[in-house]
Amino acid sequence: MPAKGKYMLNGQEQVGLYKQYCYIRQYQLLVLLLGISILSCVVLLVLFFALQLNALEHPAFVGVVSCGLALLGAVFAMVCCTETLFQRWMRLLAVAVWACLLIMGFVFTLSGSVTRAWDQVPFFLFTIFTVYTMMPFQMRDAVILSLVTSVSHIVVLSIVLTTSSKPPTFLTYQLVSNGVIFLCGNVVGAFHKVLMARALRQTFLDTLSCLEIRMKLEIEKRQQENLLQSVLPVYISMEMKLAIIERLKESKDAQQRLVKDNNFHSLYVKRHENVSILYADIVGFTRLASDCSPKELVIMLNELFGKFDQIAKENECMRIKILGDCYYCVSGLPVSLPRHARNCVKMGLDMCEAIKQVREATGVDINMRVGVHSGNVLCGVIGLRKWQFDVWSHDVTLANHMESGGLPGRVHITEATLKHLNKAYEVEEGNGHLRDPYLKEQNINTYLVIDPRSKESSVSSQRKTKQCRHNDGLKMRASVRMTRYLESWGAAKPFAHLQSRELCTPTGNCDLHANGKLRKDIPLRSLVCPRTTDRNRSQKSKFDEELYNKMVMTIDGLSSSKQWIKSEEMFSFTLWFTKKELEKQYRAIDLPGFKYYIGCASFIFLCIFVVQMCVAKQPQDLGVSFGVSTCILLLTLCVCFAGHLPRFFPERLASCQWLSTVSEAVGKKPFVRLPLAVASTAVILIIAVINLCFFPFPELCNNTAALTNATEFEASHGLFFMPYVVYCCLLGIVACGVFLRVSVELKLIFLVLASIGYYIIILQTHSNLFECYGSVLYPNGTSDTILEQSGLMKHPKVMSCVYISLFLITMVFLTQQTEYYCRQDFLLKNKNRQEQDKIETMENLNRLLLENVLPAHVASLFVGENKKNEDLYYKSYDCVCVMFASVPDFKEFYTECDINKEGLECLRLLNEIIADFDELLSKPKFSGVEKIKTICSTYMAASGLGNISPTESKKDSDGNYSHLRCMVDFALALIGKLESINTHSFNNFKLRIGINHGPVIAGVIGAHKPQYDIWGNSVNVASRMDSTGVLGKIQVTEETALVVESLGFSVTLRGVVSVKGKGELTTYFINTDRA
């Protein structure tokens, strides 16, 4: 399974995608700028002719506005109609727009009979600001173009005004003020660009991450389904999957996730009729396994059972479980098959043939004993841990005895199976009752199937060839010959299908398989399946390619009109989220950069202060208003940057921990930062114009004779202060936009209210002052003819209203667009979090599922970044404690009748018993116990299988067998748990427990249904300790009894017991009460 963060596009791909992503945003902003510019040109022309101004008197204005309109319209049409052309010539077109605006600004400045130092400063400020915020330039290019714009205006006016016949008296102060305004525009524009670039980059990364997580989620879902279906049939696995997900949501405790709170545990068992059950055992394998190394044993089992799985698939059989070297399957599950008996018999014959080939090729004396019976089964999963699909019924028991009562190399069937064969095979008497007492007790007639292939016996020359072939390898151990031969089958590794890898086949030996059957003439040499080193690389490339394509599709799906199209997530005009909860979360998000908004606003305030101090006739008069405003802003700055103060005064402020708390509250609490934003913005908007209210109205404006020297009058009364007050108002409007992620409604309210207030001051309360200044600039005209002489862009009152309107529209659209980007970024992050939660749920589910197949320390090898499932997993341990705990009374308790739903209710009780046993494993004291599997009503577990070295598995640091102590405690807990179940179910079940310790081999086998198991003499003896034990007792061998007694448990000698395959063994009982 792909681990989180494993796949990521390389740097070049990311840069390419980021450029495309930026192109969309830059395209939208440039289109917006072109729209505002075209609208402004149209409004200027309409106003010009609506006010009945003469085009012949202002040809430069009309000409440059008309040409600008034509050029901007052409660029707009080109950008909107041919996006491909725009993408190719994006910066060139932006330079053309900048040049057009610059030319228009100089024409406005130098045209007309009067030129002043304040001429068209707002127009150049607009150009500077839009270069940063709305034109597709890199920061370096934007700085260069903005500096060119600023410096060119100052230099040109300096030359023009100093060379004029009557240079202004306070020219230097006005040029300094212009420079300060341009500097403010540069700094604010750069601030806006940096913040938007960071937000854009973060949005891009979030988009990429969201897509990546979404793809991984799909992969996780597929792998989770494959994993679950590799252990369980689909019809059961889907039901269990939904139940597990529900439990994961309800509980955060990883160890209790599979435990339900109701009185009964879920039972995933169904009844199926008319099926055939096959049991097969490899005769002679136990003797062979005793001579195997761990690797050889696991390879042999994986190859053999992998071959059997392939045969089962070909014959429409479902493998149920592997028990040591026993293999059993069912045909007719989950869909009923009319040929179920034929399928099982055919599979049994194929298994015997496969083993025959192995025996002939290697000379190893092994064979196959197969038993088949037809009837009904209950199939499903019981317990909470280590799920294994299993079947139960009297017919299953009979099939098991058919195998044990069969003959090596033959398929042993019952009369019920024979009837379903419909004479498809010839049979002979089986006489199973002579070999198995259960068959005799049940009076079962049995038969042996005659393999049709046996009639086509091989000629003697072929036998000689085979004899010579395996004689060549007789010098090798039998296990080595077996391993090398079986490796040539090329069985898939466990969990290989989770990586979507093809089954590995030996290269250069294409003749190994013919029509899906193994050829017999394979030399006895090591045929190792070559490992493809580029698998992970190709898988990563495929993932990256798909991620890249999806990102391109996402970027292509963006458009400049998207925000105006009806969306399921946002309203088109207000941009509010349709979900109230989402809107609430957005307004409560943390703004760690809010303090920088306040810092930028304070810089604007400082610029306004410098400008007004430079142009004020009596600067000392501004002290009161600016003093109060400065105190408010300084207090706001201190609140925002309180967390940084201890750095400058570490000794004095070391104990003031509340300072950092206050600073953090500003970024995290909306009710704290909103008042600060309101106070800062209000101070700037008010201070920009408040001093105009105290400007003395010059009485000489009413005296025409006094206006003979306009320049001296303007200088003596400081009338040039008025345009700069308007420019300060424009800076105040710009200040509303520096609070990028603050409530857009609040910013729009400030913009509208401030503009209305400025309009009232210019057009109503101080209208005479502006008209007076116009009379001073154009003394030869009357109040009706001044506008005709000056034109739109030279008249103080009209010019002020035009620029306030221009900046208002620009900031409204820019604020709206910025809000759209911020909300889009929030949406992506929110989706990212949701997808992350989903993928974490899937990963937890996958882990739980896999750990229900494998122990945790083994499961880690098959998942995550360090997965090692290229090879088979196997490990030998010097000392492992193995326990078999069975409920023999359950066989008598189990009946099949209508009252108990043909045995289903009996299995429900068994499920409760096994589930309660599984719940004990959740206790920390039993963390060292690993459930291996259940076999009917027998519970198998082991301790000492953790991720430790073989030497550490023998003894802990204190020299004690702690894992044996843990296992004995667990066995005693099982006895107590069963007694509790008896009390509630009114039964009298007794446990029969056998325990042994010693060396074992652990491994994972089976590609179709991977299964963790342990093998070895210690396991066999532990099983015999159970089967030869006594109800209510824990039987152990003499070696185990000595260790257990040293751990503080009391033991009682039972005596000598005859153990099948082991002879006479002295055994002991562990007393259930601690000594």
Side-chain angles (χ1 to χ4, degrees):
M1 303 174 200
K4 286 188 296 185
K6 177 182 175 184
Y7 301 108
M8 178 55 70
L9 301 179
N10 60 44
Q12 187 175 0
E13 290 173 331
Q14 278 202 38
V15 170
L17 286 173
Y18 182 61
K19 286 182 178 179
Q20 284 183 274
Y21 194 75
C22 290
Y23 154 74
I24 296 294
R25 292 292 176 86
Q26 292 166 345
Y27 172 82
Q28 295 171 350
L29 290 171
L30 185 59
V31 168
L32 181 61
L33 173 61
L34 288 171
I36 294 174
S37 301
I38 291 172
L39 177 64
S40 301
C41 291
V42 171
V43 170
L44 286 177
L45 290 176
V46 170
L47 279 177
F48 184 86
F49 292 106
L51 295 174
Q52 298 180 351
L53 300 181
N54 191 348
L56 297 177
E57 295 182 5
H58 305 282
F61 173 82
V62 176
V64 76
V65 173
S66 300
C67 292
L69 179 61
L71 177 61
L72 294 173
V75 173
F76 183 81
M78 189 182 304
V79 167
C80 292
C81 297
T82 56
E83 290 190 26
T84 305
L85 182 63
F86 168 75
Q87 189 173 2
R88 182 178 302 176
W89 304 103
M90 179 173 59
R91 285 183 174 77
L92 184 61
L93 293 174
V95 170
V97 173
W98 169 77
C100 178
L101 293 176
L102 192 64
I103 293 171
M104 290 176 66
F106 278 117
V107 172
F108 292 161
T109 302
L110 301 177
S111 62
S113 57
V114 177
T115 301
R116 289 291 184 268
W118 48 260
D119 257 332
Q120 310 312 317
V121 170
F123 194 90
F124 282 78
L125 176 64
F126 172 79
T127 304
I128 292 169
F129 188 68
T130 54
V131 163
Y132 285 104
T133 58
M134 306 177 78
M135 293 189 190
F137 295 119
Q138 298 294 332
M139 178 61 77
R140 183 190 63 181
D141 299 334
V143 170
I144 292 173
L145 294 179
S146 298
L147 288 178
V148 170
T149 305
S150 308
V151 173
S152 61
H153 180 272
I154 295 174
V155 170
V156 169
L157 281 182
S158 299
I159 296 174
V160 170
L161 294 176
T162 53
T163 57
S164 63
S165 57
K166 296 180 180 180
T169 306
F170 297 99
L171 176 60
T172 303
Y173 290 108
Q174 295 180 61
L175 292 177
V176 170
S177 299
N178 294 351
V180 172
I181 293 173
F182 293 150
L183 175 64
C184 184
N186 275 277
V187 171
V188 175
F191 176 79
H192 189 282
K193 188 175 186 67
V194 168
L195 291 185
M196 290 306 297
R198 288 181 179 177
L200 180 63
R201 179 67 179 174
Q202 189 60 47
T203 303
F204 167 78
L205 292 176
D206 289 339
T207 304
L208 188 63
S209 177
C210 189
L211 289 175
E212 184 182 8
I213 289 175
R214 197 173 302 167
M215 289 175 60
K216 286 183 179 180
L217 181 61
E218 294 174 1
I219 294 174
E220 288 284 343
K221 286 181 179 178
R222 290 198 297 267
Q223 292 178 343
Q224 173 263 325
E225 291 174 359
N226 289 338
L227 175 60
L228 196 56
Q229 291 170 16
S230 71
V231 183
L232 307 171
V234 177
Y235 72 101
I236 287 183
S237 64
M238 291 299 100
E239 184 180 355
M240 297 187 71
K241 171 188 170 184
L242 295 176
I244 297 168
I245 293 176
E246 187 65 28
R247 293 171 196 174
L248 281 173
K249 293 178 181 178
E250 293 175 357
S251 176
K252 295 182 179 180
D253 187 355
Q255 295 182 339
Q256 298 293 337
R257 280 173 178 160
L258 299 179
V259 180
K260 294 198 70 175
D261 296 330
N262 55 10
N263 294 328
F264 294 97
H265 299 87
S266 298
L267 180 64
Y268 304 99
V269 175
K270 292 186 178 180
R271 180 175 174 80
H272 288 267
E273 300 178 350
N274 294 322
V275 300
S276 290
I277 309 106
L278 177 148
Y279 269 81
D281 186 68
I282 305 175
V283 181
F285 188 82
T286 302
R287 183 175 61 256
L288 176 66
S290 63
D291 188 40
C292 290
S293 68
K295 179 178 181 180
E296 291 169 347
L297 177 62
V298 174
I299 289 177
M300 275 194 290
L301 288 173
N302 186 71
E303 297 291 341
L304 283 171
F305 292 134
K307 181 65 174 179
F308 295 162
D309 285 344
Q310 179 184 348
I311 295 173
K313 184 177 181 181
E314 293 171 355
N315 290 285
E316 298 181 289
C317 294
M318 176 189 292
R319 189 243 286 178
I320 302 301
K321 193 180 289 186
I322 298 171
L323 300 175
D325 58 354
C326 179
Y327 184 103
Y328 66 100
C329 62
V330 176
S331 181
L333 289 179
V335 180
S336 180
L337 298 172
R339 295 171 53 90
H340 57 85
R342 295 186 187 184
N343 291 339
C344 278
V345 170
K346 176 64 165 55
M347 178 176 176
L349 295 174
D350 289 345
M351 294 171 79
C352 291
E353 180 66 19
I355 293 297
K356 178 183 176 182
Q357 294 174 13
V358 175
R359 183 174 65 252
E360 293 176 350
T362 64
V364 178
D365 186 18
I366 60 171
N367 216 325
M368 207 76 200
R369 189 172 59 218
V370 180
V372 179
H373 173 60
S374 301
N376 308 321
V377 297
L378 290 168
C379 61
V381 177
I382 62 173
L384 302 178
R385 290 172 177 259
K386 295 297 184 294
W387 296 317
Q388 291 182 0
F389 188 67
D390 210 344
V391 290
W392 304 266
S393 71
H394 292 315
D395 291 324
V396 173
T397 304
L398 178 55
N400 189 5
H401 285 277
M402 286 297 294
E403 177 271 314
S404 60
L407 294 176
R410 303 300 298 272
V411 177
H412 194 205
I413 65 173
T414 62
E415 191 171 6
T417 303
L418 180 63
K419 291 179 180 178
H420 284 90
L421 289 179
N422 296 322
K423 300 181 180 181
Y425 291 93
E426 295 182 10
V427 298
E428 59 187 8
E429 287 295 329
N431 298 318
H433 63 283
L434 301 178
R435 295 180 296 273
D436 189 276
Y438 181 84
L439 297 179
K440 182 178 181 179
E441 179 184 339
Q442 299 294 324
N443 195 24
I444 304 297
N445 295 325
T446 66
Y447 304 88
L448 295 173
V449 178
I450 300 174
D451 190 349
R453 285 170 291 195
S454 64
K455 298 180 180 180
E456 304 172 0
S457 58
S458 303
V459 297
S460 59
S461 60
Q462 290 177 319
R463 291 179 179 175
K464 290 180 182 179
T465 303
K466 295 169 188 174
Q467 186 68 30
C468 294
R469 183 167 57 247
H470 69 68
N471 282 343
D472 294 338
L474 288 180
K475 295 180 181 180
M476 294 184 254
R477 287 185 294 111
S479 59
V480 175
R481 297 198 302 273
M482 277 282 293
T483 303
R484 293 192 175 183
Y485 179 82
L486 293 176
E487 279 186 316
S488 67
W489 284 2
K493 304 297 188 297
F495 300 102
H497 63 293
L498 296 184
Q499 297 295 337
S500 301
R501 293 179 175 135
E502 297 179 357
L503 293 179
C504 186
T505 56
T507 59
N509 294 281
C510 299
D511 60 338
L512 289 177
H513 295 267
N515 298 325
K517 297 184 178 180
L518 186 69
R519 291 182 55 176
K520 303 178 184 180
D521 55 342
I522 301 175
L524 278 174
R525 57 189 177 87
S526 178
L527 295 174
V528 181
C529 185
R531 192 178 304 168
T532 306
T533 56
D534 292 336
R535 283 172 177 173
N536 290 335
R537 193 179 307 165
S538 61
Q539 185 185 10
K540 177 183 183 299
S541 300
K542 184 178 179 180
F543 183 93
D544 289 349
E545 182 180 356
E546 188 176 354
L547 175 61
Y548 182 86
N549 293 334
K550 286 197 174 186
M551 189 65 187
V552 170
M553 291 175 60
T554 302
I555 293 173
D556 291 342
L558 299 174
S559 66
S560 58
S561 59
K562 183 178 179 181
Q563 67 191 86
W564 308 112
I565 299 175
K566 186 177 180 181
S567 170
E568 296 181 357
E569 298 170 327
M570 286 190 293
F571 293 107
S572 300
F573 182 72
T574 62
L575 299 181
W576 290 354
F577 295 120
T578 53
K579 296 180 180 179
K580 293 182 179 179
E581 183 64 26
L582 206 60
E583 183 69 23
K584 184 178 179 180
Q585 292 177 11
Y586 174 75
R587 295 182 182 275
I589 59 174
D590 294 347
L591 290 181
F594 180 81
K595 55 189 175 184
Y596 302 114
Y597 301 164
I598 296 294
C600 186
S602 301
F603 178 77
I604 295 176
F605 173 82
L606 178 63
C607 292
I608 292 175
F609 171 73
V610 173
V611 168
Q612 294 201 14
M613 291 296 290
C614 287
V615 298
K617 182 180 179 182
Q618 296 178 338
Q620 61 275 12
D621 295 339
L622 306 178
V624 177
S625 57
F626 273 103
V628 175
S629 303
T630 301
C631 291
I632 296 175
L633 276 180
L634 283 176
L635 179 62
T636 304
L637 282 171
C638 289
V639 172
C640 293
F641 290 90
H644 297 270
L645 294 178
R647 298 179 185 177
F648 300 100
F649 308 100
E651 297 180 357
R652 297 181 180 180
L653 301 178
S655 59
C656 300
Q657 300 295 331
W658 57 270
L659 291 175
S660 58
T661 304
V662 171
S663 182
E664 291 177 2
V666 172
K668 294 182 177 180
K669 306 294 183 182
F671 63 86
V672 175
R673 61 175 176 257
L674 282 179
L676 297 179
V678 170
S680 303
T681 307
V683 164
I684 294 172
L685 291 173
I686 294 173
I687 202 65
V689 74
I690 189 66
N691 292 309
L692 186 62
C693 299
F694 303 106
F695 191 84
F697 185 85
E699 297 295 337
L700 295 178
C701 284
N702 298 324
N703 187 354
T704 306
L707 299 179
T708 54
N709 192 338
T711 302
E712 292 181 3
F713 183 87
E714 178 186 7
S716 60
H717 291 83
L719 290 176
F720 57 82
F721 176 75
M722 289 187 300
Y724 286 99
V725 170
V726 175
Y727 301 164
C728 291
C729 294
L730 299 180
L731 292 179
I733 292 176
V734 171
C736 295
V738 301
F739 297 91
L740 297 183
R741 290 181 177 264
V742 177
S743 171
V744 65
E745 298 84 6
L746 181 64
K747 289 186 284 186
L748 292 177
I749 290 173
F750 267 119
L751 286 171
V752 173
L753 290 180
S755 300
I756 292 174
Y758 297 156
Y759 285 138
I760 292 174
I761 292 173
I762 296 171
L763 298 176
Q764 188 66 35
T765 60
H766 290 68
S767 174
N768 292 335
L769 190 60
F770 283 90
E771 290 178 358
C772 172
Y773 190 29
S775 301
V776 171
L777 296 176
Y778 300 94
N780 298 328
T782 62
S783 58
D784 297 329
T785 60
I786 290 176
L787 183 59
E788 296 179 2
Q789 294 180 21
S790 64
L792 292 177
M793 307 306 290
K794 293 282 190 175
H795 193 279
K797 182 190 294 186
V798 177
M799 176 200 69
S800 300
C801 292
V802 167
Y803 283 125
I804 288 176
S805 302
L806 175 63
F807 274 80
L808 172 64
I809 294 173
T810 302
M811 293 308 300
V812 166
F813 279 108
L814 187 59
T815 298
Q816 189 82 349
Q817 195 71 17
T818 302
E819 179 71 8
Y820 174 72
Y821 294 154
C822 293
R823 287 179 175 268
Q824 194 177 53
D825 179 46
F826 173 79
L827 270 180
L828 286 170
K829 289 182 178 179
N830 185 67
K831 289 180 180 178
N832 195 355
R833 285 193 299 269
Q834 292 177 354
E835 298 290 347
Q836 188 69 34
D837 292 340
K838 289 181 181 178
I839 200 170
E840 286 179 359
T841 301
M842 283 298 167
E843 286 175 344
N844 291 334
L845 180 58
N846 280 355
R847 188 184 65 255
L848 288 173
L849 290 175
L850 192 56
E851 290 178 2
N852 263 299
V853 182
L854 309 175
H857 69 279
V858 180
S860 62
L861 302 177
F862 292 87
V863 295
E865 296 181 359
N866 300 318
K867 59 181 178 296
K868 301 176 181 178
N869 56 329
E870 293 289 345
D871 297 317
L872 292 171
Y873 171 80
Y874 56 88
K875 190 171 184 179
S876 61
Y877 295 86
D878 288 339
C879 182
V880 169
C881 187
V882 184
M883 181 204 73
F884 284 83
S886 61
V887 187
D889 296 337
F890 182 79
K891 292 181 180 179
E892 298 178 3
F893 175 80
Y894 179 83
T895 57
E896 295 178 0
C897 59
D898 293 336
I899 297 177
N900 62 19
K901 299 179 182 178
E902 300 298 331
L904 185 63
E905 293 305 319
C906 296
L907 280 186
R908 190 179 302 279
L909 179 58
L910 179 61
N911 182 57
E912 292 299 313
I913 294 173
I914 301 300
D916 284 352
F917 289 175
D918 287 343
E919 287 179 353
L920 290 175
L921 296 174
S922 300
K923 294 185 177 181
K925 64 181 295 186
F926 299 133
S927 60
V929 178
E930 190 70 45
K931 177 184 177 182
I932 304 300
K933 56 190 169 185
T934 56
I935 310 162
C936 293
S937 60
T938 300
Y939 195 94
M940 179 182 177
S943 62
L945 291 172
N947 193 17
I948 54 178
S949 66
T951 56
E952 289 175 333
S953 70
K954 186 173 182 180
K955 297 182 180 181
D956 61 16
S957 59
D958 298 331
N960 297 323
Y961 291 82
S962 59
H963 59 287
L964 265 73
R965 180 195 303 274
C966 182
M967 181 58 76
V968 175
D969 286 337
F970 183 68
L972 295 173
L974 292 183
I975 295 175
K977 179 64 72 172
L978 186 59
E979 290 176 353
S980 175
I981 294 173
N982 287 334
T983 302
H984 292 89
S985 63
F986 305 103
N987 285 297
N988 191 29
F989 292 124
K990 294 289 185 179
L991 270 180
R992 188 183 66 199
I993 301 176
I995 295 178
N996 186 36
H997 78 283
V1000 302
I1001 297 172
V1004 180
I1005 58 173
H1008 178 58
K1009 291 182 179 180
Q1011 180 175 317
Y1012 178 82
D1013 210 344
I1014 55 177
W1015 306 272
N1017 182 64
S1018 302
V1019 179
N1020 297 334
V1021 172
S1023 176
R1024 299 306 181 192
M1025 289 296 100
D1026 166 36
S1027 60
T1028 62
V1030 178
L1031 289 178
K1033 298 291 186 178
I1034 303 174
Q1035 183 174 227
V1036 297
T1037 60
E1038 186 174 9
E1039 294 80 4
T1040 303
L1042 292 174
V1043 176
V1044 168
E1045 195 170 20
S1046 69
L1047 295 175
F1049 297 92
S1050 62
V1051 297
T1052 302
L1053 175 66
R1054 180 188 182 185
V1056 177
V1057 177
S1058 178
V1059 177
K1060 180 181 177 182
K1062 306 300 177 184
E1064 304 290 331
L1065 294 180
T1066 302
T1067 64
Y1068 291 77
F1069 291 132
I1070 298 177
N1071 297 330
T1072 55
D1073 296 328
R1074 291 288 296 268

